[in-house]
Amino acid sequence: MQVSKKMVSLVIPAFNEEENIPLIYHKITELFRSKMPQYVYEIIFVDDGSRDNTWSIIVDMAKRDTQVKGRKFSRNFGHQIALSAAYDAAQGEAIISMDADLQDPPELLHEMIQEWVGGADIVYARRINRNDGLLKKLTATIYYRLLSHVSDVSIPRNVGDFRLVDAKVLQQLKSCREKSRYLRGMVAWTGFTCAYVDFERPNRHAGQTGYTWKKMVHLAFDGMTSFSTFPLKIVGYMGVMAIAAVHIVFFYMLYQMLMHDAHYQLAAWLSLAGFAMLGVQSFALWLLGEYVGRIYKESQARPLYIVEQECNLDDINKHHTIREFTHVQTSGTTRNTTIL
Ligand code: UDP
Ligand code: MG
């Protein structure tokens, strides 16, 4: 019996990457040819509004090799949107997202796919070092620590967007159509089993980073606001602190008046009242924010939950069936398989 080969999609957003694209293409092609001939693959490049020859290079490659597919944006929409567009086009059973600049080494693909075959639905490539400048290193460390503390879902540290997801994870990601996208948070949010592959991240091969500080701050903000209501709560905490401080000062002044015959001018009482109002206002702002937060969550329109398995709910196989929404590793290429 001939078992059809499993398909792996490689999704690669590219912004001004003319020098890197031919190289990453050759590396991937060579890798699959030499180490993983048991898989078929597709490479999906999304040109995120490049101003160099990125697109014409992709088109040339696609003419020569049908495994290369491309999408071109009308302008620069940003890395996370480009990645989403690549995800939308992917047809593989495992989908690997990586950067075009060879900072995500293709040599790791083999190991990641092994982990997936071993049963992991998400495989993160985890950086064990950062070759970035001191400032980027420091801000990233602080940010990820803070995010993992305050976030509603546990987002793994030291992972970027170099990861493998199973098709069932992708199916869930595709149902999340929020505009502010923080994909690594969204992947973690799906909650499927994950594994890690560690690597040392090299420097970019050629060209310049497309991630300006402005884009990075935007991404960080999206991460924080999409997966935590902590920023909202800050004003609430400030309000509570202001109200508490006003109470302490008020009782102190009252005590001084009653016990030590102290006198306070009207201005002192007024400024105290002013602080109290400020506290109440911050508190009210937070309350208001909580409602806005809920509206925001509704508008994100994520699915309420993700079902991984079901039992006796299948109309066709009524008796004692467990339906696993997973690929079955041992029996070929089926997905969403019913296991008796
Ligand atoms: N990228 C993109 N759109 C952008 C910025 C970057 O598609 O607006 C792509 C870029 O081509 C690369 C990946 O996203 O494949 C990561 O970007 P970059 O290497 O510039 O980020 P860094 O590694 O410096 O954080
Ligand atoms: Mg890079």
Side-chain angles (χ1 to χ4, degrees), residues 152-153 155 172-178 180-183 185-190 222-228 296-306:
D152 305 333
V153 294
I155 302 172
Q172 301 301 333
L173 289 179
K174 285 194 332 201
S175 68
C176 304
R177 302 312 287 181
E178 56 229 58
S180 316
R181 302 175 79 74
Y182 188 65
L183 280 160
M186 290 158 67
V187 169
W189 166 84
T190 63
D222 281 346
M224 197 55 93
T225 49
S226 302
F227 291 94
S228 160
Y296 171 58
K297 276 206 170 138
E298 289 292 330
S299 67
Q300 278 179 324
R302 284 186 203 159
L304 273 187
Y305 51 79
I306 299 168

PDB file of all heavy atoms in Angstrom, residues 152-153 155 172-178 180-183 185-190 222-228 296-306:
ATOM      1  N   ASP A 152      -2.820  36.548  30.771  1.00  0.00           N
ATOM      2  CA  ASP A 152      -3.865  35.565  31.095  1.00  0.00           C
ATOM      3  C   ASP A 152      -3.457  34.159  30.677  1.00  0.00           C
ATOM      4  O   ASP A 152      -3.883  33.182  31.258  1.00  0.00           O
ATOM      5  CB  ASP A 152      -5.172  35.916  30.371  1.00  0.00           C
ATOM      6  CG  ASP A 152      -5.596  37.341  30.678  1.00  0.00           C
ATOM      7  OD1 ASP A 152      -5.229  37.823  31.756  1.00  0.00           O
ATOM      8  OD2 ASP A 152      -6.276  37.959  29.846  1.00  0.00           O
ATOM      9  N   VAL A 153      -2.665  34.049  29.604  1.00  0.00           N
ATOM     10  CA  VAL A 153      -2.185  32.728  29.190  1.00  0.00           C
ATOM     11  C   VAL A 153      -0.675  32.699  29.363  1.00  0.00           C
ATOM     12  O   VAL A 153      -0.040  33.747  29.355  1.00  0.00           O
ATOM     13  CB  VAL A 153      -2.511  32.426  27.703  1.00  0.00           C
ATOM     14  CG1 VAL A 153      -3.983  32.322  27.475  1.00  0.00           C
ATOM     15  CG2 VAL A 153      -1.893  33.444  26.778  1.00  0.00           C
ATOM     16  N   ILE A 155       2.711  32.575  28.123  1.00  0.00           N
ATOM     17  CA  ILE A 155       3.423  32.727  26.855  1.00  0.00           C
ATOM     18  C   ILE A 155       4.887  32.388  27.109  1.00  0.00           C
ATOM     19  O   ILE A 155       5.521  32.994  27.968  1.00  0.00           O
ATOM     20  CB  ILE A 155       3.285  34.176  26.335  1.00  0.00           C
ATOM     21  CG1 ILE A 155       1.800  34.529  26.160  1.00  0.00           C
ATOM     22  CG2 ILE A 155       4.039  34.362  25.024  1.00  0.00           C
ATOM     23  CD1 ILE A 155       1.531  35.984  25.841  1.00  0.00           C
ATOM     24  N   GLN A 172      -7.286  26.781  14.314  1.00  0.00           N
ATOM     25  CA  GLN A 172      -7.771  27.663  15.385  1.00  0.00           C
ATOM     26  C   GLN A 172      -7.243  29.082  15.209  1.00  0.00           C
ATOM     27  O   GLN A 172      -7.973  30.048  15.382  1.00  0.00           O
ATOM     28  CB  GLN A 172      -7.346  27.127  16.757  1.00  0.00           C
ATOM     29  CG  GLN A 172      -7.851  25.743  17.069  1.00  0.00           C
ATOM     30  CD  GLN A 172      -9.367  25.657  17.045  1.00  0.00           C
ATOM     31  OE1 GLN A 172     -10.057  26.648  17.280  1.00  0.00           O
ATOM     32  NE2 GLN A 172      -9.890  24.490  16.747  1.00  0.00           N
ATOM     33  N   LEU A 173      -5.972  29.183  14.858  1.00  0.00           N
ATOM     34  CA  LEU A 173      -5.385  30.519  14.675  1.00  0.00           C
ATOM     35  C   LEU A 173      -6.136  31.276  13.593  1.00  0.00           C
ATOM     36  O   LEU A 173      -6.361  32.479  13.682  1.00  0.00           O
ATOM     37  CB  LEU A 173      -3.915  30.419  14.267  1.00  0.00           C
ATOM     38  CG  LEU A 173      -2.923  29.950  15.318  1.00  0.00           C
ATOM     39  CD1 LEU A 173      -1.530  29.888  14.732  1.00  0.00           C
ATOM     40  CD2 LEU A 173      -2.945  30.889  16.507  1.00  0.00           C
ATOM     41  N   LYS A 174      -6.511  30.521  12.557  1.00  0.00           N
ATOM     42  CA  LYS A 174      -7.188  31.173  11.435  1.00  0.00           C
ATOM     43  C   LYS A 174      -8.569  31.684  11.813  1.00  0.00           C
ATOM     44  O   LYS A 174      -9.116  32.571  11.169  1.00  0.00           O
ATOM     45  CB  LYS A 174      -7.281  30.200  10.252  1.00  0.00           C
ATOM     46  CG  LYS A 174      -5.939  30.074   9.577  1.00  0.00           C
ATOM     47  CD  LYS A 174      -5.825  29.448   8.258  1.00  0.00           C
ATOM     48  CE  LYS A 174      -6.551  28.496   7.598  1.00  0.00           C
ATOM     49  NZ  LYS A 174      -6.037  27.733   6.533  1.00  0.00           N
ATOM     50  N   SER A 175      -9.132  31.090  12.872  1.00  0.00           N
ATOM     51  CA  SER A 175     -10.461  31.567  13.285  1.00  0.00           C
ATOM     52  C   SER A 175     -10.354  32.833  14.138  1.00  0.00           C
ATOM     53  O   SER A 175     -11.356  33.452  14.462  1.00  0.00           O
ATOM     54  CB  SER A 175     -11.205  30.465  14.035  1.00  0.00           C
ATOM     55  OG  SER A 175     -10.574  30.218  15.263  1.00  0.00           O
ATOM     56  N   CYS A 176      -9.162  33.204  14.531  1.00  0.00           N
ATOM     57  CA  CYS A 176      -8.970  34.447  15.299  1.00  0.00           C
ATOM     58  C   CYS A 176      -8.641  35.567  14.308  1.00  0.00           C
ATOM     59  O   CYS A 176      -7.546  35.596  13.758  1.00  0.00           O
ATOM     60  CB  CYS A 176      -7.819  34.324  16.291  1.00  0.00           C
ATOM     61  SG  CYS A 176      -7.992  32.967  17.429  1.00  0.00           S
ATOM     62  N   ARG A 177      -9.579  36.446  14.089  1.00  0.00           N
ATOM     63  CA  ARG A 177      -9.354  37.466  13.054  1.00  0.00           C
ATOM     64  C   ARG A 177      -9.103  38.850  13.656  1.00  0.00           C
ATOM     65  O   ARG A 177      -9.376  39.868  13.017  1.00  0.00           O
ATOM     66  CB  ARG A 177     -10.536  37.533  12.075  1.00  0.00           C
ATOM     67  CG  ARG A 177     -10.849  36.250  11.364  1.00  0.00           C
ATOM     68  CD  ARG A 177      -9.650  35.552  10.762  1.00  0.00           C
ATOM     69  NE  ARG A 177      -9.115  36.202   9.582  1.00  0.00           N
ATOM     70  CZ  ARG A 177      -8.081  35.739   8.897  1.00  0.00           C
ATOM     71  NH1 ARG A 177      -7.485  34.625   9.273  1.00  0.00           N
ATOM     72  NH2 ARG A 177      -7.634  36.385   7.848  1.00  0.00           N
ATOM     73  N   GLU A 178      -8.615  38.921  14.878  1.00  0.00           N
ATOM     74  CA  GLU A 178      -8.358  40.233  15.468  1.00  0.00           C
ATOM     75  C   GLU A 178      -7.303  40.999  14.667  1.00  0.00           C
ATOM     76  O   GLU A 178      -6.400  40.404  14.071  1.00  0.00           O
ATOM     77  CB  GLU A 178      -7.914  40.077  16.926  1.00  0.00           C
ATOM     78  CG  GLU A 178      -6.717  39.198  17.133  1.00  0.00           C
ATOM     79  CD  GLU A 178      -6.946  38.174  18.232  1.00  0.00           C
ATOM     80  OE1 GLU A 178      -7.898  37.388  18.125  1.00  0.00           O
ATOM     81  OE2 GLU A 178      -6.167  38.174  19.189  1.00  0.00           O
ATOM     82  N   SER A 180      -5.203  43.549  15.872  1.00  0.00           N
ATOM     83  CA  SER A 180      -3.911  43.651  16.560  1.00  0.00           C
ATOM     84  C   SER A 180      -3.474  42.247  16.890  1.00  0.00           C
ATOM     85  O   SER A 180      -4.047  41.604  17.754  1.00  0.00           O
ATOM     86  CB  SER A 180      -4.043  44.422  17.868  1.00  0.00           C
ATOM     87  OG  SER A 180      -4.813  45.547  17.681  1.00  0.00           O
ATOM     88  N   ARG A 181      -2.480  41.782  16.173  1.00  0.00           N
ATOM     89  CA  ARG A 181      -2.139  40.363  16.297  1.00  0.00           C
ATOM     90  C   ARG A 181      -0.793  40.176  16.986  1.00  0.00           C
ATOM     91  O   ARG A 181       0.198  40.780  16.594  1.00  0.00           O
ATOM     92  CB  ARG A 181      -2.110  39.727  14.915  1.00  0.00           C
ATOM     93  CG  ARG A 181      -3.404  39.866  14.186  1.00  0.00           C
ATOM     94  CD  ARG A 181      -3.319  39.345  12.796  1.00  0.00           C
ATOM     95  NE  ARG A 181      -3.414  37.900  12.735  1.00  0.00           N
ATOM     96  CZ  ARG A 181      -4.540  37.220  12.907  1.00  0.00           C
ATOM     97  NH1 ARG A 181      -5.657  37.866  13.154  1.00  0.00           N
ATOM     98  NH2 ARG A 181      -4.553  35.912  12.838  1.00  0.00           N
ATOM     99  N   TYR A 182      -0.784  39.339  17.981  1.00  0.00           N
ATOM    100  CA  TYR A 182       0.448  38.951  18.637  1.00  0.00           C
ATOM    101  C   TYR A 182       0.469  37.433  18.566  1.00  0.00           C
ATOM    102  O   TYR A 182      -0.028  36.731  19.445  1.00  0.00           O
ATOM    103  CB  TYR A 182       0.442  39.450  20.085  1.00  0.00           C
ATOM    104  CG  TYR A 182       1.740  39.273  20.805  1.00  0.00           C
ATOM    105  CD1 TYR A 182       2.884  39.954  20.400  1.00  0.00           C
ATOM    106  CD2 TYR A 182       1.838  38.452  21.917  1.00  0.00           C
ATOM    107  CE1 TYR A 182       4.083  39.793  21.074  1.00  0.00           C
ATOM    108  CE2 TYR A 182       3.024  38.292  22.602  1.00  0.00           C
ATOM    109  CZ  TYR A 182       4.142  38.966  22.172  1.00  0.00           C
ATOM    110  OH  TYR A 182       5.336  38.815  22.854  1.00  0.00           O
ATOM    111  N   LEU A 183       1.012  36.940  17.450  1.00  0.00           N
ATOM    112  CA  LEU A 183       0.825  35.521  17.112  1.00  0.00           C
ATOM    113  C   LEU A 183       1.401  34.564  18.145  1.00  0.00           C
ATOM    114  O   LEU A 183       0.830  33.520  18.422  1.00  0.00           O
ATOM    115  CB  LEU A 183       1.401  35.242  15.722  1.00  0.00           C
ATOM    116  CG  LEU A 183       0.456  35.670  14.593  1.00  0.00           C
ATOM    117  CD1 LEU A 183       1.204  35.842  13.287  1.00  0.00           C
ATOM    118  CD2 LEU A 183      -0.676  34.663  14.407  1.00  0.00           C
ATOM    119  N   GLY A 185       1.480  34.894  21.270  1.00  0.00           N
ATOM    120  CA  GLY A 185       0.491  34.792  22.343  1.00  0.00           C
ATOM    121  C   GLY A 185      -0.701  33.962  21.889  1.00  0.00           C
ATOM    122  O   GLY A 185      -1.218  33.132  22.638  1.00  0.00           O
ATOM    123  N   MET A 186      -1.131  34.182  20.654  1.00  0.00           N
ATOM    124  CA  MET A 186      -2.298  33.461  20.143  1.00  0.00           C
ATOM    125  C   MET A 186      -2.028  31.957  20.045  1.00  0.00           C
ATOM    126  O   MET A 186      -2.893  31.136  20.332  1.00  0.00           O
ATOM    127  CB  MET A 186      -2.699  34.028  18.774  1.00  0.00           C
ATOM    128  CG  MET A 186      -3.293  35.426  18.902  1.00  0.00           C
ATOM    129  SD  MET A 186      -3.213  36.385  17.388  1.00  0.00           S
ATOM    130  CE  MET A 186      -4.318  35.501  16.335  1.00  0.00           C
ATOM    131  N   VAL A 187      -0.799  31.616  19.646  1.00  0.00           N
ATOM    132  CA  VAL A 187      -0.430  30.201  19.560  1.00  0.00           C
ATOM    133  C   VAL A 187      -0.467  29.590  20.961  1.00  0.00           C
ATOM    134  O   VAL A 187      -1.022  28.504  21.176  1.00  0.00           O
ATOM    135  CB  VAL A 187       0.971  30.033  18.926  1.00  0.00           C
ATOM    136  CG1 VAL A 187       1.467  28.616  19.064  1.00  0.00           C
ATOM    137  CG2 VAL A 187       0.937  30.430  17.463  1.00  0.00           C
ATOM    138  N   ALA A 188       0.103  30.304  21.941  1.00  0.00           N
ATOM    139  CA  ALA A 188       0.101  29.793  23.317  1.00  0.00           C
ATOM    140  C   ALA A 188      -1.330  29.676  23.830  1.00  0.00           C
ATOM    141  O   ALA A 188      -1.671  28.729  24.545  1.00  0.00           O
ATOM    142  CB  ALA A 188       0.912  30.716  24.215  1.00  0.00           C
ATOM    143  N   TRP A 189      -2.158  30.627  23.430  1.00  0.00           N
ATOM    144  CA  TRP A 189      -3.556  30.640  23.879  1.00  0.00           C
ATOM    145  C   TRP A 189      -4.305  29.373  23.459  1.00  0.00           C
ATOM    146  O   TRP A 189      -5.168  28.880  24.190  1.00  0.00           O
ATOM    147  CB  TRP A 189      -4.241  31.896  23.316  1.00  0.00           C
ATOM    148  CG  TRP A 189      -5.720  31.880  23.409  1.00  0.00           C
ATOM    149  CD1 TRP A 189      -6.492  32.246  24.488  1.00  0.00           C
ATOM    150  CD2 TRP A 189      -6.646  31.473  22.379  1.00  0.00           C
ATOM    151  NE1 TRP A 189      -7.809  32.078  24.197  1.00  0.00           N
ATOM    152  CE2 TRP A 189      -7.936  31.610  22.915  1.00  0.00           C
ATOM    153  CE3 TRP A 189      -6.504  31.013  21.080  1.00  0.00           C
ATOM    154  CZ2 TRP A 189      -9.084  31.299  22.183  1.00  0.00           C
ATOM    155  CZ3 TRP A 189      -7.631  30.698  20.346  1.00  0.00           C
ATOM    156  CH2 TRP A 189      -8.900  30.842  20.897  1.00  0.00           C
ATOM    157  N   THR A 190      -3.958  28.789  22.297  1.00  0.00           N
ATOM    158  CA  THR A 190      -4.672  27.591  21.841  1.00  0.00           C
ATOM    159  C   THR A 190      -4.480  26.427  22.813  1.00  0.00           C
ATOM    160  O   THR A 190      -5.344  25.563  22.917  1.00  0.00           O
ATOM    161  CB  THR A 190      -4.204  27.117  20.443  1.00  0.00           C
ATOM    162  OG1 THR A 190      -2.821  26.755  20.520  1.00  0.00           O
ATOM    163  CG2 THR A 190      -4.413  28.172  19.383  1.00  0.00           C
ATOM    164  N   ASP A 222       0.860  45.407  21.606  1.00  0.00           N
ATOM    165  CA  ASP A 222      -0.172  44.460  21.178  1.00  0.00           C
ATOM    166  C   ASP A 222      -0.165  43.228  22.068  1.00  0.00           C
ATOM    167  O   ASP A 222      -1.215  42.712  22.449  1.00  0.00           O
ATOM    168  CB  ASP A 222       0.048  44.023  19.718  1.00  0.00           C
ATOM    169  CG  ASP A 222      -0.445  45.079  18.747  1.00  0.00           C
ATOM    170  OD1 ASP A 222      -1.180  45.981  19.193  1.00  0.00           O
ATOM    171  OD2 ASP A 222      -0.082  45.010  17.554  1.00  0.00           O
ATOM    172  N   GLY A 223       1.044  42.750  22.391  1.00  0.00           N
ATOM    173  CA  GLY A 223       1.165  41.575  23.248  1.00  0.00           C
ATOM    174  C   GLY A 223       0.545  41.837  24.607  1.00  0.00           C
ATOM    175  O   GLY A 223      -0.226  41.031  25.126  1.00  0.00           O
ATOM    176  N   MET A 224       0.878  42.979  25.161  1.00  0.00           N
ATOM    177  CA  MET A 224       0.404  43.318  26.499  1.00  0.00           C
ATOM    178  C   MET A 224      -1.112  43.513  26.519  1.00  0.00           C
ATOM    179  O   MET A 224      -1.803  42.989  27.389  1.00  0.00           O
ATOM    180  CB  MET A 224       1.120  44.603  26.934  1.00  0.00           C
ATOM    181  CG  MET A 224       1.088  44.893  28.398  1.00  0.00           C
ATOM    182  SD  MET A 224       1.710  43.565  29.399  1.00  0.00           S
ATOM    183  CE  MET A 224       3.398  43.975  29.617  1.00  0.00           C
ATOM    184  N   THR A 225      -1.625  44.230  25.546  1.00  0.00           N
ATOM    185  CA  THR A 225      -3.058  44.543  25.585  1.00  0.00           C
ATOM    186  C   THR A 225      -3.925  43.368  25.123  1.00  0.00           C
ATOM    187  O   THR A 225      -5.077  43.274  25.503  1.00  0.00           O
ATOM    188  CB  THR A 225      -3.379  45.778  24.726  1.00  0.00           C
ATOM    189  OG1 THR A 225      -2.766  45.603  23.455  1.00  0.00           O
ATOM    190  CG2 THR A 225      -2.861  47.043  25.361  1.00  0.00           C
ATOM    191  N   SER A 226      -3.356  42.478  24.299  1.00  0.00           N
ATOM    192  CA  SER A 226      -4.173  41.364  23.809  1.00  0.00           C
ATOM    193  C   SER A 226      -4.300  40.251  24.827  1.00  0.00           C
ATOM    194  O   SER A 226      -5.224  39.462  24.774  1.00  0.00           O
ATOM    195  CB  SER A 226      -3.578  40.761  22.539  1.00  0.00           C
ATOM    196  OG  SER A 226      -3.456  41.724  21.552  1.00  0.00           O
ATOM    197  N   PHE A 227      -3.327  40.145  25.720  1.00  0.00           N
ATOM    198  CA  PHE A 227      -3.336  38.997  26.613  1.00  0.00           C
ATOM    199  C   PHE A 227      -3.342  39.363  28.082  1.00  0.00           C
ATOM    200  O   PHE A 227      -3.120  38.525  28.931  1.00  0.00           O
ATOM    201  CB  PHE A 227      -2.156  38.077  26.286  1.00  0.00           C
ATOM    202  CG  PHE A 227      -2.356  37.414  24.969  1.00  0.00           C
ATOM    203  CD1 PHE A 227      -1.822  37.965  23.818  1.00  0.00           C
ATOM    204  CD2 PHE A 227      -3.160  36.306  24.869  1.00  0.00           C
ATOM    205  CE1 PHE A 227      -2.061  37.391  22.591  1.00  0.00           C
ATOM    206  CE2 PHE A 227      -3.406  35.729  23.653  1.00  0.00           C
ATOM    207  CZ  PHE A 227      -2.859  36.265  22.508  1.00  0.00           C
ATOM    208  N   SER A 228      -3.591  40.633  28.371  1.00  0.00           N
ATOM    209  CA  SER A 228      -3.622  41.023  29.761  1.00  0.00           C
ATOM    210  C   SER A 228      -4.421  42.318  29.902  1.00  0.00           C
ATOM    211  O   SER A 228      -4.391  43.182  29.031  1.00  0.00           O
ATOM    212  CB  SER A 228      -2.189  41.243  30.232  1.00  0.00           C
ATOM    213  OG  SER A 228      -2.175  42.033  31.375  1.00  0.00           O
ATOM    214  N   TYR A 296     -13.755  45.009  24.008  1.00  0.00           N
ATOM    215  CA  TYR A 296     -12.580  44.696  23.188  1.00  0.00           C
ATOM    216  C   TYR A 296     -12.457  43.190  22.987  1.00  0.00           C
ATOM    217  O   TYR A 296     -12.232  42.706  21.891  1.00  0.00           O
ATOM    218  CB  TYR A 296     -11.349  45.269  23.883  1.00  0.00           C
ATOM    219  CG  TYR A 296     -10.029  44.854  23.284  1.00  0.00           C
ATOM    220  CD1 TYR A 296      -9.740  45.126  21.955  1.00  0.00           C
ATOM    221  CD2 TYR A 296      -9.074  44.210  24.051  1.00  0.00           C
ATOM    222  CE1 TYR A 296      -8.527  44.745  21.411  1.00  0.00           C
ATOM    223  CE2 TYR A 296      -7.868  43.829  23.520  1.00  0.00           C
ATOM    224  CZ  TYR A 296      -7.598  44.090  22.195  1.00  0.00           C
ATOM    225  OH  TYR A 296      -6.401  43.698  21.665  1.00  0.00           O
ATOM    226  N   LYS A 297     -12.656  42.458  24.086  1.00  0.00           N
ATOM    227  CA  LYS A 297     -12.555  40.997  23.987  1.00  0.00           C
ATOM    228  C   LYS A 297     -13.609  40.456  23.040  1.00  0.00           C
ATOM    229  O   LYS A 297     -13.346  39.552  22.248  1.00  0.00           O
ATOM    230  CB  LYS A 297     -12.730  40.367  25.362  1.00  0.00           C
ATOM    231  CG  LYS A 297     -11.448  40.351  26.137  1.00  0.00           C
ATOM    232  CD  LYS A 297     -11.437  39.227  27.154  1.00  0.00           C
ATOM    233  CE  LYS A 297     -10.049  39.081  27.742  1.00  0.00           C
ATOM    234  NZ  LYS A 297     -10.025  38.870  29.161  1.00  0.00           N
ATOM    235  N   GLU A 298     -14.832  41.015  23.146  1.00  0.00           N
ATOM    236  CA  GLU A 298     -15.907  40.575  22.249  1.00  0.00           C
ATOM    237  C   GLU A 298     -15.506  40.835  20.799  1.00  0.00           C
ATOM    238  O   GLU A 298     -15.712  40.014  19.928  1.00  0.00           O
ATOM    239  CB  GLU A 298     -17.211  41.337  22.537  1.00  0.00           C
ATOM    240  CG  GLU A 298     -17.879  40.959  23.835  1.00  0.00           C
ATOM    241  CD  GLU A 298     -18.426  39.548  23.826  1.00  0.00           C
ATOM    242  OE1 GLU A 298     -18.797  39.059  22.756  1.00  0.00           O
ATOM    243  OE2 GLU A 298     -18.441  38.925  24.902  1.00  0.00           O
ATOM    244  N   SER A 299     -14.938  42.005  20.577  1.00  0.00           N
ATOM    245  CA  SER A 299     -14.638  42.376  19.193  1.00  0.00           C
ATOM    246  C   SER A 299     -13.468  41.565  18.635  1.00  0.00           C
ATOM    247  O   SER A 299     -13.295  41.460  17.434  1.00  0.00           O
ATOM    248  CB  SER A 299     -14.364  43.875  19.076  1.00  0.00           C
ATOM    249  OG  SER A 299     -13.181  44.176  19.762  1.00  0.00           O
ATOM    250  N   GLN A 300     -12.662  40.997  19.524  1.00  0.00           N
ATOM    251  CA  GLN A 300     -11.602  40.108  19.037  1.00  0.00           C
ATOM    252  C   GLN A 300     -12.202  38.858  18.406  1.00  0.00           C
ATOM    253  O   GLN A 300     -11.611  38.236  17.538  1.00  0.00           O
ATOM    254  CB  GLN A 300     -10.707  39.671  20.193  1.00  0.00           C
ATOM    255  CG  GLN A 300      -9.644  40.688  20.553  1.00  0.00           C
ATOM    256  CD  GLN A 300      -8.803  40.212  21.720  1.00  0.00           C
ATOM    257  OE1 GLN A 300      -9.302  39.563  22.635  1.00  0.00           O
ATOM    258  NE2 GLN A 300      -7.530  40.531  21.700  1.00  0.00           N
ATOM    259  N   ALA A 301     -13.389  38.492  18.866  1.00  0.00           N
ATOM    260  CA  ALA A 301     -14.148  37.373  18.300  1.00  0.00           C
ATOM    261  C   ALA A 301     -13.351  36.077  18.235  1.00  0.00           C
ATOM    262  O   ALA A 301     -13.424  35.343  17.259  1.00  0.00           O
ATOM    263  CB  ALA A 301     -14.682  37.748  16.910  1.00  0.00           C
ATOM    264  N   ARG A 302     -12.585  35.817  19.262  1.00  0.00           N
ATOM    265  CA  ARG A 302     -11.919  34.514  19.315  1.00  0.00           C
ATOM    266  C   ARG A 302     -12.955  33.451  19.650  1.00  0.00           C
ATOM    267  O   ARG A 302     -13.967  33.747  20.271  1.00  0.00           O
ATOM    268  CB  ARG A 302     -10.877  34.505  20.444  1.00  0.00           C
ATOM    269  CG  ARG A 302      -9.650  35.262  20.096  1.00  0.00           C
ATOM    270  CD  ARG A 302      -8.607  35.089  21.191  1.00  0.00           C
ATOM    271  NE  ARG A 302      -7.679  36.190  21.149  1.00  0.00           N
ATOM    272  CZ  ARG A 302      -6.918  36.559  22.157  1.00  0.00           C
ATOM    273  NH1 ARG A 302      -6.976  35.926  23.285  1.00  0.00           N
ATOM    274  NH2 ARG A 302      -6.084  37.570  22.024  1.00  0.00           N
ATOM    275  N   PRO A 303     -12.693  32.205  19.257  1.00  0.00           N
ATOM    276  CA  PRO A 303     -13.629  31.159  19.689  1.00  0.00           C
ATOM    277  C   PRO A 303     -13.640  31.080  21.216  1.00  0.00           C
ATOM    278  O   PRO A 303     -12.636  31.391  21.854  1.00  0.00           O
ATOM    279  CB  PRO A 303     -13.051  29.884  19.090  1.00  0.00           C
ATOM    280  CG  PRO A 303     -11.789  30.236  18.432  1.00  0.00           C
ATOM    281  CD  PRO A 303     -11.590  31.705  18.468  1.00  0.00           C
ATOM    282  N   LEU A 304     -14.766  30.674  21.776  1.00  0.00           N
ATOM    283  CA  LEU A 304     -14.881  30.628  23.235  1.00  0.00           C
ATOM    284  C   LEU A 304     -13.953  29.588  23.839  1.00  0.00           C
ATOM    285  O   LEU A 304     -13.395  29.779  24.901  1.00  0.00           O
ATOM    286  CB  LEU A 304     -16.309  30.254  23.623  1.00  0.00           C
ATOM    287  CG  LEU A 304     -17.313  31.383  23.736  1.00  0.00           C
ATOM    288  CD1 LEU A 304     -18.619  30.826  24.284  1.00  0.00           C
ATOM    289  CD2 LEU A 304     -16.806  32.485  24.640  1.00  0.00           C
ATOM    290  N   TYR A 305     -13.838  28.465  23.155  1.00  0.00           N
ATOM    291  CA  TYR A 305     -13.000  27.381  23.649  1.00  0.00           C
ATOM    292  C   TYR A 305     -12.557  26.524  22.472  1.00  0.00           C
ATOM    293  O   TYR A 305     -13.074  26.660  21.366  1.00  0.00           O
ATOM    294  CB  TYR A 305     -13.769  26.503  24.651  1.00  0.00           C
ATOM    295  CG  TYR A 305     -15.096  26.057  24.123  1.00  0.00           C
ATOM    296  CD1 TYR A 305     -15.182  25.008  23.234  1.00  0.00           C
ATOM    297  CD2 TYR A 305     -16.262  26.731  24.486  1.00  0.00           C
ATOM    298  CE1 TYR A 305     -16.391  24.607  22.719  1.00  0.00           C
ATOM    299  CE2 TYR A 305     -17.485  26.348  23.967  1.00  0.00           C
ATOM    300  CZ  TYR A 305     -17.545  25.282  23.087  1.00  0.00           C
ATOM    301  OH  TYR A 305     -18.735  24.899  22.563  1.00  0.00           O
ATOM    302  N   ILE A 306     -11.594  25.666  22.739  1.00  0.00           N
ATOM    303  CA  ILE A 306     -11.125  24.756  21.689  1.00  0.00           C
ATOM    304  C   ILE A 306     -11.291  23.334  22.194  1.00  0.00           C
ATOM    305  O   ILE A 306     -10.788  22.990  23.266  1.00  0.00           O
ATOM    306  CB  ILE A 306      -9.646  25.020  21.363  1.00  0.00           C
ATOM    307  CG1 ILE A 306      -9.484  26.453  20.860  1.00  0.00           C
ATOM    308  CG2 ILE A 306      -9.131  24.034  20.335  1.00  0.00           C
ATOM    309  CD1 ILE A 306      -8.043  26.889  20.779  1.00  0.00           C
TER     310      ILE A 306
END
